[in-house]
Amino acid sequence: MVGGDGLQDSIRAAKGNGLVAVVGFLEGQTANLDLMDVIWHETQIQGIAVGRLRSFHDLVKFLDEHTIHPVVDSVYAFEDALAAYGKLSDGAFGKVVLSIP
């Protein structure tokens, strides 16, 4: 979610040759951008179109009515985040969850 300085902050936070996906706006639909950060970090910026808010509400209602829940493979304490990432790289069946106190 970008807008205002959010896009610039995301580019600076991305790893080298990383991808910043723009899926929505917090502070308007424009942003001032220092292109040197894009070049220096070799960042890709990808716009992603999503559905209407009404469609999202319809989806949430459907999930509630049909008691559909995600498959959780494992849950890790926040302090064990590195182990959780290891689980992801080994291949997980379902979601790997970090529990934040």
Side-chain angles (χ1 to χ4, degrees):
M1 305 294 279
V2 299
D5 295 330
L7 180 58
Q8 191 76 49
D9 293 341
S10 295
I11 291 167
R12 289 180 179 150
K15 71 176 186 171
N17 200 28
L19 171 68
V20 174
V22 180
V23 296
F25 311 99
L26 292 175
E27 299 176 24
Q29 298 178 17
T30 62
N32 290 323
L33 184 60
D34 181 350
L35 293 175
M36 195 63 217
D37 281 331
V38 176
I39 294 168
W40 182 254
H41 292 272
E42 299 178 330
T43 305
Q44 300 173 56
I45 302 171
Q46 173 77 41
I48 299 176
V50 295
R52 303 172 315 167
L53 183 57
R54 172 66 194 258
S55 298
F56 175 72
H57 289 296
D58 291 345
L59 171 65
V60 170
K61 181 180 176 186
F62 177 86
L63 295 174
D64 284 343
E65 289 173 355
H66 295 88
T67 59
I68 297 173
H69 301 285
V71 175
V72 176
D73 179 283
S74 49
V75 178
Y76 291 84
F78 185 75
E79 297 78 28
D80 297 326
L82 288 177
Y85 281 109
K87 177 65 176 178
L88 284 174
S89 67
D90 291 343
F93 180 81
K95 303 295 182 187
V96 175
V97 178
L98 285 179
S99 177
I100 300 173

